[in-house]
C-alpha cells in the first residue's frame, strides 16, 4: 500500500529505519535505510529530486495571478487619539498612606 513521502509527497512504500517516516526512493539512503533527514552517511542521493505535481501546479497558478494594483487614492489613516490625562497633575499631590 503506497503512502506519500514525508519529505516530497511522492509515492513511497518504505519507511525510515530511525524515525519511521514514509520515504520515497529519492529520500531513503540505500546504505543505512534512513531518510535524508536522519541519514548521517556521506553518500549523495541518487538522481535529482522531482517536485511533486501539487507544488508545481500551485507555483504555476501563483505565477498566472497578476499582482493587484495599488489603490491610487487610498483612504487616509484616522488621527491618533490624544494621550491619556495624567492621573496626578503636578498641582495635585499623590495620596499618601491612610492614617489609622
Amino acid at each position: 500500500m503506497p503512502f506519500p513521502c514525508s519529505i516530497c509527497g511522492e509515492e513511497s512504500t518504505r519507511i525510515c529505519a530511525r524515525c519511521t517516516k514514509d520515504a520515497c526512493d529519492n529520500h531513503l539512503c540505500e546504505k543505512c535505510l534512513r531518510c535524508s533527514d536522519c541519514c548521517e552517511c556521506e553518500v549523495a542521493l541518487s538522481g535529482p529530486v522531482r517536485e511533486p505535481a501539487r507544488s508545481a501546479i500551485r507555483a504555476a497558478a501563483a505565477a498566472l495571478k497578476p499582482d493587484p494594483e495599488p489603490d491610487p487614492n487610498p483612504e487616509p489613516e484616522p488621527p491618533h487619539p490624544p494621550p491619556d490625562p495624567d492621573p496626578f497633575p503636578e498641582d495635585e499631590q499623590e495620596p499618601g498612606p491612610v492614617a489609622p
Side-chain angles (χ1 to χ4, degrees):
M1 179 176 188
F3 292 96
C5 173
S6 62
I7 297 170
C8 70
E10 287 189 19
E11 184 177 303
S12 66
T13 56
R14 296 166 44 187
I15 62 171
C16 171
R18 178 185 254 173
C19 68
T20 68
K21 288 181 187 175
D22 294 306
C24 67
D25 291 335
N26 290 332
H27 292 107
L28 199 65
C29 177
E30 295 174 5
K31 184 177 179 183
C32 66
L33 299 177
R34 294 180 181 175
C35 69
S36 59
D37 292 341
C38 297
C39 178
E40 296 171 353
C41 298
E42 297 297 323
V43 179
L45 294 175
S46 61
V49 177
R50 295 181 296 170
E51 187 176 353
R54 286 187 199 158
S55 298
I57 291 171
R58 287 184 187 139
L64 293 177
K65 290 182 184 176
D67 291 334
E69 295 290 325
D71 188 6
N73 299 317
E75 294 287 325
E77 291 187 21
H80 293 288
D84 291 336
D86 188 2
F88 300 104
E90 292 180 17
D91 57 340
E92 290 182 24
Q93 292 184 350
E94 291 187 32
V98 179

